[in-house]
């Protein structure tokens, strides 16, 4: 089951052959054991049939439109759907909250899917990769387009597991609104907090959907309270549930003050509007009152009338809910059970009614590629010059590489040329594809607001801007996290060497949080990623998609190096070995920066002490060294290097000489600046039966863990929230399983980097020196 796979339950058969924290990985002849889940019924991509009209609900059924009409008109490049009727949305949540199930229901009710895919049967349409279908999890975001109430809805389904956080980040970057799903039993879970903060970062308006109201222990109001306390959000309850668990029947719609009751639980079950059940009348009035108080605050006239006893009409209520949602004043909350087919149609209504169109979000800012100081604003308009952002690359077995692009302004036509403004290279648009999970439809033109996949781009990678060659612009770039874990990988046979290189290049193009490099010293290829599962999936994809058999080493932590104090060094590079000599003299000050600042270079040179043309040499020399610190060769972060002074020779100085001087200054300067090692610290949440609580805490303490808090979960479970160094978390899944007889589960995500205790730092440095010797 998906739940087992991604919650990293100690009862699942996840076995990690992870150990130790050696600087250099030792190769073993074993492949990682992966999740060890039984294969699903279907391992082939689920191909879609045609839409099926006429199923589903009664009163809202008029909303379903034949999408083919829209698609056909869009083919000719005319705008069939006004831009204000576009919704580019993402569905985000903690693992297993039901994103994929909800998306499947949405596709069904919007008439996109002939036969619904069920996650637990391994046939969900949005989870189309083989691994996704076998494991019942979502790995890559799949984009799909569908229609509801004359609105065009582009949906990106995002994975919930922390190793794939980057996917969520990419999606958020290009979406205008989001549905945040919660499991009504578990409430707000750690990954929901992470994605919530990511959505805050990008200012994405959102709607909450409290899912799984049919589950034992479902509690809508507790989840609502957690949205307030854990996420700091101001909720606007728009529905309250009618019943819960087995007796969950439907919802009370507080805007219309009507009950929406489903007649069954099967796919396409009909629903009807009814009077509010008598036992819920008082509660409904109370929540409607709270809703009114929040929304009337957004309009003085409505407020005045309300204070005089005149309630706003339905259209006004909707207008104000929309206004408050888009401006982030509050977050509407709805509920239902995607699995039991209850609540999905009103959720779609809320997407249309309350989430913004591309014209209601701030216009996209960009810069002139020639002069990054100059800001260029691109308005969401078909008549503006074309600008689009590549937010995902996927290798496709049939079409080759597919680049997903969100069009921010203008039009994109198949067969035309666009400029990759980051690289200054022209790219030809071969095919334009509108994606529906794993099926695709060729279109000739993509318009502002569209999300399309382009086939055949050669040089564009995730985060780069494509623009009209006559009006180049670089849209804001995306930030990508640096990998925290790495593993050595060795092709099994000579024949695998080339295939592995091709595969690694393609996978790195798709996924900027995955890196690989060649460690010449150790004669190894090292792959780096965001977690064990991330790297397991990469190795698995190498095998399946690129037919590469490889031996994989034990995962290692990706440490960082930094400094603790300011140090200034003067370094002279001088060489005279016949012919022209080499001379460069520089003074560099190294300063520690705040955590998360990365590396910065600054020149404070005055009066040409180092001529302008030599400064790039200093920058290059320092930058090369920052990849490998003086303690144990890990990347250097949170450091500023200031070039403060220097001198040169009219004949013997060169860019190369200054580059070499910078390398010398780095070595001396870093040693003087109190070098120290940093390690990734993970936030680990363990859910365990109370009888095992003592063992769980004792074990976390022995892993250098710091317990932050305890909590309760339904079913007498205890929750332990802690911070533990990643280096101590390898093999945790099997320890936890053994300790709790498989009854506990845990989730883990990167919290911060912190200083490595001195004794461990000494071990890591000496190990490195041994290897070097
Ligand atoms: N009882 C109940 N189960 C549900 C509901 N929605 C989803 N599920 C089940 O919960 C499990 C996880 O659902 P998914 O849709 O895969 O969840 P997800 O959030 O997409 O998971 P990832 O993409 O792997 O993060 C599956 O077994 C679903 O059948 C619901 O409303 N009620």
């Amino acid at each position: 089951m998906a739940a087992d796979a991604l919650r990293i339950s100690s009862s699942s058969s996840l076995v990690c052959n992870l150990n130790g924290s050696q600087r250099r990985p030792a190769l073993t002849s074993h492949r990682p054991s992966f999740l060890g889940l039984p294969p699903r019924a279907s391992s082939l991509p689920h191909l879609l049939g045609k839409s099926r009209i006429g199923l589903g609900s009664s009163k809202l059924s008029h909303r379903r439109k034949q999408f083919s009409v829209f698609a056909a008109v869009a083919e000719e490049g005319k705008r069939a759907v006004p831009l204000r009727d576009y919704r580019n949305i993402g569905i985000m949540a903690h693992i297993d909250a039901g994103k994929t199930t909800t998306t499947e229901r949405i596709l069904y009710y919007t008439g996109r899917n002939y036969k619904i895919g069920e996650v637990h049967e391994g046939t969900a349409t949005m989870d189309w990769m083989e691994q996704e279908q076998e494991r019942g999890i979502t790995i890559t975001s799949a984009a799909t387009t569908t229609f509801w109430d004359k609105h065009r809805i582009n949906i990106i389904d995002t994975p919930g597991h922390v190793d794939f956080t980057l996917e969520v980040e990419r999606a958020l970057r290009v979406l205008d609104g989001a549905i945040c799903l919660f499991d009504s039993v578990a409430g707000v879970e750690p990954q929901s907090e992470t994605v919530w903060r990511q959505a805050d970062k990008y200012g994405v308006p959102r709607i909450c959907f409290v899912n799984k109201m049919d589950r034992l222990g479902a509690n809508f109001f507790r989840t609502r309270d957690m949205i307030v306390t854990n996420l700091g959000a101001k909720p606007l309850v728009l529905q309250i549930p009618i019943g819960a668990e087995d007796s969950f029947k439907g919802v009370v719609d507080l805007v219309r003050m009507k009950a929406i009751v489903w007649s069954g639980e099967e796919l396409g079950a009909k629903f009807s509007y009814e009077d509010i059940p008598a036992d819920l009348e008082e509660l409904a009035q109370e929540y409607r009152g709270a809703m009114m108080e929040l929304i009337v605050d957004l309009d003085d006239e409505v407020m005045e009338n309300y204070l005089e006893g005149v309630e706003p009409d339905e259209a006004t209520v909707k207008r104000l809910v929309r206004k408050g949602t888009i401006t982030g004043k509050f977050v509407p909350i709805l509920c239902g059970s995607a699995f039991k087919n209850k609540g999905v149609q009103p959720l779609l209504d809320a997407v249309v009614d309350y989430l913004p169109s591309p014209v209601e979000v701030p216009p996209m800012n960009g810069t002139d590629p020639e002069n990054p100081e100059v800001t260029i604003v691109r308005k969401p308009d078909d008549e503006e010059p074309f600008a689009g952002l590549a937010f995902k690359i996927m290798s496709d077995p049939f079409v080759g590489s597919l680049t997903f692009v969100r069009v921010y302004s203008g039009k994109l036509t198949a067969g035309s040329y666009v400029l990759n403004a980051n690289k200054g290279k022209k790219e030809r648009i071969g095919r334009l594809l509108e994606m529906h999970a794993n099926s695709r439809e060729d279109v000739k033109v993509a318009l502002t607001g569209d999300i399309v996949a382009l086939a055949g781009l050669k040089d564009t990678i995730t985060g780069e801007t494509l623009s009209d060659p006559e009006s180049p612009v670089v849209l804001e770039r995306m930030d990508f996290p640096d990998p925290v874990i790495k593993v050595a990988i060795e092709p099994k046979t000579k024949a695998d060497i080339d295939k592995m290189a091709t595969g690694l290049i393609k996978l790195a193009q798709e996924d900027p949080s995955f890196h690989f490099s060649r460690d010449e010293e150790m004669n190894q290829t090292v792959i780096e990623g965001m977690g064990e599962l991330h790297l397991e999936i990469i190795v698995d994809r190498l095998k399946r998609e690129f037919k590469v058999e490889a031996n994989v080493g034990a995962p290692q932590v990706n440490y960082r190096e930094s400094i603790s104090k300011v140090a200034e060094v003067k370094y002279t590079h001088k060489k005279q070995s016949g012919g022209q000599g080499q001379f460069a003299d520089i003074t560099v000050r190294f300063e520690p920066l705040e955590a998360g600042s990365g590396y910065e270079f600054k020149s404070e040179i005055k009066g040409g002490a180092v001529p302008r043309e030599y400064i790039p040499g200093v920058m290059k020399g320092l930058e090369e060294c920052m990849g490998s610190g003086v303690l144990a060769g890990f990347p250097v972060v949170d450091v500023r290097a200031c070039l403060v002074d220097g001198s040169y020779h009219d004949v013997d100085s060169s860019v190369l000489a200054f580059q070499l001087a910078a390398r010398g200054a780095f070595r001396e300067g870093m040693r003087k600046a109190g070098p120290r090692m940093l390690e990734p610290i993970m936030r680990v949440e363990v859910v365990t039966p109370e009888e095992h609580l003592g063992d769980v805490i004792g074990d976390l303490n022995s892993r250098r863990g710091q317990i932050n808090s305890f909590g309760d979960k339904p079913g007498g479970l205890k929750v332990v929230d802690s911070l533990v160094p990643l280096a101590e978390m390898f093999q945790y899944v099997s320890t936890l399983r053994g300790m709790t007889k498989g009854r506990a589960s845990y989730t883990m995500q990167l919290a911060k980097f912190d200083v490595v205790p001195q004794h461990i730092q000494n071990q890591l440095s000496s190990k490195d020196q041994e290897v070097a010797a």
Side-chain angles (χ1 to χ4, degrees), residues 28-31 489-497 500 543 547-552:
T28 69
S29 57
H30 304 290
R31 287 186 56 246
I489 175 167
E490 188 184 51
K492 274 194 179 157
T493 65
K494 276 199 170 159
D496 288 318
I497 295 176
M500 186 166 101
K543 185 175 180 202
K547 314 283 175 246
V548 177
E549 291 290 344
N551 295 325
V552 179

Side-chain angles (χ1 to χ4, degrees), residues 677 756-767 769:
M677 278 170 75
V756 178
Q758 192 59 48
H759 67 283
I760 297 178
Q761 192 167 304
N762 293 344
Q763 284 167 14
L764 290 163
S765 308
S766 60
K767 219 165 250 161
Q769 276 150 19

Side-chain angles (χ1 to χ4, degrees), residues 6 96-101 119 138 160 211-212 214-215 337-339:
L6 274 183
D96 280 351
K99 293 177 299 295
T100 306
T101 308
V119 177
T138 305
N211 189 32
K212 302 199 180 182
D214 61 298
R215 271 190 68 196
S337 162
F339 188 57

Side-chain angles (χ1 to χ4, degrees), residues 1-3 6 93-102 118-120 127 136-139 157-161 181 209 211-215 336-341:
M1 297 287 287
L6 274 183
H94 189 83
I95 49 176
D96 280 351
K99 293 177 299 295
T100 306
T101 308
T102 307
E118 290 293 359
V119 177
H120 61 263
D127 282 351
I137 58 171
T138 305
I139 297 164
D157 180 42
T158 55
H161 190 274
L181 284 193
F209 184 69
N211 189 32
K212 302 199 180 182
M213 280 305 301
D214 61 298
R215 271 190 68 196
S337 162
F339 188 57
K340 298 283 167 92
N341 301 295

Side-chain angles (χ1 to χ4, degrees), residues 207-264:
I207 294 173
C208 296
F209 184 69
V210 180
N211 189 32
K212 302 199 180 182
M213 280 305 301
D214 61 298
R215 271 190 68 196
L216 196 65
N219 190 330
F220 172 77
F221 298 100
R222 187 184 54 224
T223 306
R224 177 229 168 259
D225 292 346
M226 288 176 86
I227 291 172
V228 179
T229 49
N230 297 18
L231 305 176
K234 190 178 266 187
L236 183 82
V237 175
L238 292 184
Q239 294 175 346
I240 55 171
I242 304 176
E245 306 178 346
D246 274 357
S247 63
F248 177 64
K249 291 192 181 60
V251 297
V252 174
D253 175 342
L254 299 172
V255 175
R256 294 189 184 186
M257 282 307 265
K258 282 278 173 199
I260 310 178
V261 179
W262 276 262
S263 59

Side-chain angles (χ1 to χ4, degrees), residues 489 503-504 507 538-544 546-548:
I489 175 167
L504 290 175
L507 292 169
I538 294 279
V539 175
D540 194 23
R541 289 189 63 190
L542 275 177
K543 185 175 180 202
R544 291 178 194 235
F546 301 95
K547 314 283 175 246
V548 177

Side-chain angles (χ1 to χ4, degrees), residues 365-381:
N365 275 344
T367 51
D368 182 341
E370 297 295 318
N371 186 357
E373 308 284 301
V374 177
T375 304
I376 299 175
V377 177
R378 280 292 152 80
K379 281 188 259 149
D381 189 331

